Amino acid sequence: MKMPASVTALAAAALLAAAPARAALNVVATTEDLASIAREVGGDKIKVESLSRGYQDPHFVEAKPSFVIRLHSADLLIVVGRELEIGWLPPLITQARNAKVQPGGEGYLDASTGVKILEIPTGQITRAMGDVHPQGNPHYWLDPDNGVRIAKAIAKKLAALDGADAAYFDQREQAFEKKVADAEKRWDAAMAPYKGTKVVTYHRSWPNFADRFGLDVIGYVEPRPGIPPSPSHTIDLINEMKAKNVKMILVEPYFDLKTPNSIASATGGRVLVMAPSVGAEKEITDYVSLFDYDVKLLTDALKAGGR
């Protein structure tokens, strides 16, 4: 017997209602920055966790047993790459016994692919050069244009894992792109008067930020990447800062301020503790607010005479 169309429609609706909703994808990111961008793109279709906190040095993260559990159940692992996590992540991936998130697996995403990478070394690299990254500087997320490139890569990967929601991920990525573009207008306007300002940084964390906003990094508190400051290097840096009238020293929150403060005292300069990642301060809750925080902190200091 042929069923009336209304009855058929009701039956189909009942079946849809009874069908279990697709589980959200489990996403693990190595940093809060990548996790934040993933949340923007994935929305309520994903669950995201970060292995490191924004106030930690991402080169040196304590490898906890709980990380292995998270990686074991992950559908997607997003890494900074460029060997940033080389000191702690590889053993965790191996122990997780999850084929999806092994390098090259369907659930592994190196966010550095397709972004603007600076400071790619040429020639032979030796340990005497310090902790030099052979594949270039891994702090590339500190350029908001790279943030958009990361979002595009995440949207593409999520769509590959969950094709039914591909349009949703694309729509959210485009919304994030617009959000960043709108924010860049105010960041550029705020930073415009200070283009060309010479600064010193503690570690080589800021080349992408400096390149994007027109700062000139003339030296580092570390004599070489990852090498603690020495008295002779500190004296040389003080002399260079005096010669070039450099007044601003940018420092990450996980470094000791003793040497930067002594340099500032000797040069009449100022130490500014910048936020290198989402979560470094309570008010930095997402990727855009990271730049809101740093741009305001820096421009307020420069306006007060730190240039």
Side-chain angles (χ1 to χ4, degrees):
M1 182 175 69
K2 187 176 181 181
M3 291 283 192
S6 59
V7 174
T8 305
L10 286 170
L15 284 171
L16 285 171
R22 284 195 309 278
L25 292 172
N26 283 324
V27 178
V28 174
T30 56
T31 70
E32 294 277 14
D33 309 282
L34 297 178
S36 174
I37 296 172
R39 287 187 192 99
E40 296 278 358
V41 176
D44 60 8
K45 305 297 182 185
I46 68 173
K47 291 186 291 185
V48 190
E49 293 181 289
S50 171
L51 297 181
S52 65
R53 303 276 75 87
Y55 51 80
Q56 292 178 304
D57 184 343
H59 298 86
F60 306 105
V61 175
E62 181 187 354
K64 299 178 181 179
S66 61
F67 292 175
V68 176
I69 297 170
R70 293 184 199 177
L71 290 169
H72 178 72
S73 60
D75 297 301
L76 174 61
L77 170 63
I78 310 172
V79 305
V80 172
R82 306 285 158 166
E83 298 190 352
L84 180 78
E85 305 101 338
I86 196 169
W88 57 275
L89 184 63
L92 296 174
I93 295 176
T94 301
Q95 293 168 38
R97 299 183 183 278
N98 179 352
K100 288 184 289 189
V101 301
Q102 302 296 319
E106 64 176 354
Y108 181 90
L109 176 62
D110 182 339
S112 72
T113 304
V115 304
K116 183 178 182 180
I117 300 295
L118 301 177
E119 299 184 344
I120 299 176
T122 58
Q124 185 179 7
I125 298 171
T126 68
R127 290 305 301 169
M129 299 166 66
D131 294 332
V132 173
H133 292 276
Q135 300 171 20
N137 193 295
H139 299 270
Y140 56 81
W141 68 85
L142 285 165
D143 176 347
D145 293 339
N146 276 344
V148 170
R149 294 183 179 101
I150 295 167
K152 287 179 181 294
I154 292 174
K156 184 178 179 180
K157 177 61 78 171
L158 291 175
L161 296 173
D162 176 12
D165 289 315
Y168 173 85
F169 299 136
D170 181 64
Q171 182 182 39
R172 289 189 63 90
E173 187 284 317
Q174 290 184 42
F176 174 70
E177 193 170 340
K178 184 180 185 305
K179 182 178 177 180
V180 172
D182 290 343
E184 282 185 302
K185 293 174 185 175
R186 64 174 180 266
W187 300 332
D188 288 341
M191 290 293 295
Y194 308 106
K195 279 191 181 295
T197 296
K198 291 177 170 59
V199 300
V200 163
T201 71
Y202 195 108
H203 181 69
R204 293 179 180 267
S205 298
W206 305 96
N208 287 91
F209 185 92
D211 180 68
R212 174 61 181 78
F213 294 111
L215 301 176
D216 181 8
V217 181
I218 63 100
Y220 307 92
V221 176
E222 293 178 327
R224 292 180 298 281
I227 306 299
S230 64
S232 61
H233 172 74
T234 299
I235 291 169
D236 289 343
L237 183 60
I238 288 171
N239 290 334
E240 185 175 9
M241 288 179 66
K242 286 180 177 179
K244 296 180 178 178
N245 195 31
V246 179
K247 300 296 184 183
M248 188 65 66
I249 306 168
L250 310 183
V251 183
E252 298 80 348
Y254 35 78
F255 288 123
D256 191 330
L257 294 178
K258 182 179 178 181
T259 300
N261 282 338
S262 67
I263 294 171
S265 177
T267 58
R270 176 174 178 177
V271 173
L272 202 63
V273 180
M274 296 273 283
S277 285
V278 173
E281 298 290 343
K282 287 183 180 179
E283 59 264 49
I284 306 175
T285 56
D286 60 21
Y287 188 71
V288 167
S289 63
L290 169 63
F291 291 93
D292 282 337
Y293 180 91
D294 279 335
V295 167
K296 185 178 189 309
L297 186 73
L298 183 55
T299 54
D300 283 353
L302 292 171
K303 203 178 298 180
R307 58 177 305 183

